[in-house]
Amino acid sequence: MPKLIILTEGIGKREVELKPGRTTIGRAEDNDVVLPEPSVSGHHCEIVIADGQAKIRDLNSTNGTLVDEVQITEAVLRSGQTIRLGMVELRFEDPTAPQPQQAVARPGSRTSPLPRGVNLGEIGQARSAPAKGFERRTSKFDRYFLLGTAIVMALIVVLLIVIFKYAGTR
């Protein structure tokens, strides 16, 4: 039987079985699966189990529904795929569904698949070294551009003074 495994800690029930038909997921109490997390919309998405497959559909949520980090409006789920609803991460598992291709880091890549979910307590925590933003690089071009602009502006001012003096003497 298909199921959702809640990977984000602190949400409550860790595993939810999905029965045939429609299963609604969201923050509101009238959903079949309630995720009490502010980043999850009241009625965030639904999963429909029918005809041997599972389809997920976003219900116009504020933060969107992502399957394997790709925002979707509707998609067919495969066993092992991750679903992100706001800050909550889930994994869809179905022994009868086709398996997704395993994510593999390319040689020379600095990224790799995460072996576990996200802990909400870890989000926003400072790293040991403060992160630097993008720093603006200064170049010789910038300096010459500013110098050239200043010279042109000075010439324009001198030219205007000469014109007004010459026009005032007539």
Side-chain angles (χ1 to χ4, degrees):
M1 174 155 298
K3 61 185 172 182
L4 288 176
I5 297 173
I6 301 172
L7 302 174
T8 305
E9 294 179 13
I11 296 297
K13 194 173 182 182
R14 302 287 298 163
E15 198 171 293
V16 179
E17 285 195 10
L18 299 171
K19 296 181 173 36
R22 181 175 181 244
T23 301
T24 58
I25 304 170
R27 195 177 67 246
E29 292 293 325
D30 63 340
N31 285 292
D32 300 311
V33 178
V34 178
L35 300 173
E37 157 61 35
S39 64
V40 176
S41 293
H43 297 96
H44 201 103
C45 69
E46 67 180 6
I47 296 177
V48 178
I49 308 290
D51 301 325
Q53 67 179 359
K55 286 186 181 178
I56 186 168
R57 184 168 61 102
D58 185 73
L59 298 175
N60 296 320
S61 63
T62 302
N63 292 321
T65 299
L66 285 81
V67 174
D68 287 340
E69 298 304 322
V70 176
Q71 189 161 2
I72 58 98
T73 52
E74 188 171 329
V76 175
L77 289 171
R78 295 184 313 254
S79 188
Q81 288 187 302
T82 58
I83 301 166
R84 183 177 301 279
L85 311 176
M87 299 301 289
V88 178
E89 188 173 353
L90 311 118
R91 184 174 59 239
F92 174 75
E93 287 189 2
D94 183 0
T96 62
Q99 298 290 322
Q101 292 180 340
Q102 183 65 26
V104 177
R106 286 179 266 161
S109 173
R110 294 184 179 192
T111 62
S112 61
L114 291 175
R116 63 176 185 88
V118 176
N119 181 346
L120 288 178
E122 293 173 356
I123 297 174
Q125 288 181 349
R127 295 185 173 106
S128 58
K132 290 185 179 180
F134 292 103
E135 295 179 13
R136 179 172 165 77
R137 293 185 183 176
T138 58
S139 68
K140 288 183 181 180
F141 175 79
D142 290 340
R143 290 184 200 137
Y144 291 133
F145 179 77
L146 289 174
L147 181 62
T149 303
I151 291 171
V152 169
M153 294 299 285
L155 287 174
I156 291 173
V157 169
V158 169
L159 185 62
L160 288 174
I161 290 172
V162 169
I163 290 173
F164 283 119
K165 276 195 169 197
Y166 179 72
T169 59
R170 283 190 161 193

